[in-house]
Structure formats: structure tokens, C-alpha cells
Amino acid sequence: MSSLNGMDPADIAAAIAEAKADPARSERHPHLVAEWTGADRSRVRIDGKTLDVSGPGHLDAMQLVLAAYAACIIELIATHATLMGLTIRSLELELDAHFDVRAYLGLEGPAPGYDRLGLTARLCADGITDEQAQRLQEWMERASPVGATLAGGLQLRPRLEIVREPAAG
């Protein structure tokens, strides 16, 4: 079998074997650069890819958090369904979340991040068993890097550097 669900199961198995043999090979160290492009908009560059954030026609930062979580869960389900030999007919996610912007606006209020996030995945896969569905549910609960990041424990280290233009003269 060379391709299933647009993936090569042998490639996935090789990545798993590589991570087992040398755990350091499974570490990732992304670095991105974001720049202000006017109003509330920014442009983010990472690994040769560019994404415009906020402004007309673009997702804002908080929407991107939800999009990242949804995309991570889809990738996770698709990868493990492929390893199980399941042909995916459809996979759709719905997320519902809540956050309050008062602290962001400088007002008294709760922490400015999401305080509730619900996700429902709807998977149609040929011949999926209850056991396979349970395994996919467990993967969703414990193996999403974005989900783990959202759940807490991330060490944030924001730092503001002031750049002064050289004095005229």
C-alpha cells in the first residue's frame, strides 16, 4: 500500500521508528518572525511561508489559535486512521470557545485567554470498529501538541526591546 488518505503509511512508520531509535530527532525548534503591517494587522513568516493575520479577509490571532487546534486534531486523526488502515470518507471538526477581552483592553476582568473550548470531531471511515474509534479518541485527548499547549504548562517569556533610531546629526 503506497498511499492511504493522501499519506504514505510507510513514511509514517519510518518517522515513528526514527523517533523510537533517537528521541532527539523528534524535537522541533520553530522560529518565526512577525511584523506589524498597519492597524491591527501583522505578517508572520516561518520556514519560507507567510501568513497575514487580522485585518479584512484574514483570521485574527485568537481565531488562529482555534484553527491551529482544529488542524492539529485533523492531522492527528488522519495520521492514526491511516496507520490503522482506515479509509477516511469525511472528517469535520466543530469548535466552540469563549474568551473575554476586558483585560486585553486594559480593563478589570478575567484572564484574556480562552477559558472554555469544546471540540467535536465527526469521522466517517470505512469499516471503523468501536476499538479503533476509542483509540482515536484517546489520541485526540493526549497526543495533540496544540491541545497540550492550550491545556497549560507552557513557559512564556515575552520581552519588549525598544529600538531607538540614531540621533540626527
Side-chain angles (χ1 to χ4, degrees):
M1 179 183 309
S2 62
S3 180
L4 178 62
N5 303 318
M7 298 180 192
D8 185 339
D11 288 346
I12 300 168
I16 292 169
E18 185 177 277
K20 281 182 183 177
D22 183 4
R25 303 272 321 250
S26 60
E27 293 181 16
R28 303 293 183 265
H29 302 277
H31 175 81
L32 69 79
V33 175
E35 66 180 314
W36 174 67
T37 59
D40 64 345
R41 297 179 307 275
S42 60
R43 179 162 294 134
V44 177
R45 293 185 312 274
I46 186 169
D47 297 333
K49 295 170 240 156
T50 301
L51 175 67
D52 289 322
V53 180
S54 293
H58 299 286
L59 297 177
D60 67 34
M62 289 300 281
Q63 292 167 332
L64 283 172
V65 170
L66 296 180
Y69 184 45
C72 188
I73 294 294
I74 284 177
E75 182 179 346
L76 183 75
I77 292 171
T79 298
H80 289 281
T82 298
L83 286 171
M84 292 176 189
L86 297 170
T87 299
I88 297 172
R89 296 294 172 199
S90 64
L91 174 55
E92 178 182 89
L93 270 66
E94 271 189 53
L95 280 84
D96 290 300
H98 174 269
F99 72 103
D100 188 308
V101 298
R102 284 179 287 174
Y104 173 83
L105 296 171
L107 303 171
E108 288 295 320
Y114 285 113
D115 57 13
R116 289 190 305 273
L117 201 160
L119 179 143
T120 302
R122 292 182 189 86
L123 171 65
C124 178
D126 294 345
I128 188 169
T129 66
D130 289 344
E131 179 185 327
Q132 289 169 320
Q134 179 60 40
R135 285 181 28 220
L136 290 172
Q137 175 70 41
E138 290 167 4
W139 282 109
M140 285 174 48
E141 291 171 359
R142 70 176 183 86
S144 164
V146 176
T149 301
L150 290 171
L154 175 65
Q155 230 178 35
L156 293 176
R157 297 183 198 142
R159 183 184 68 172
L160 177 64
E161 291 181 359
I162 303 301
V163 178
R164 308 235 188 256
E165 295 191 286

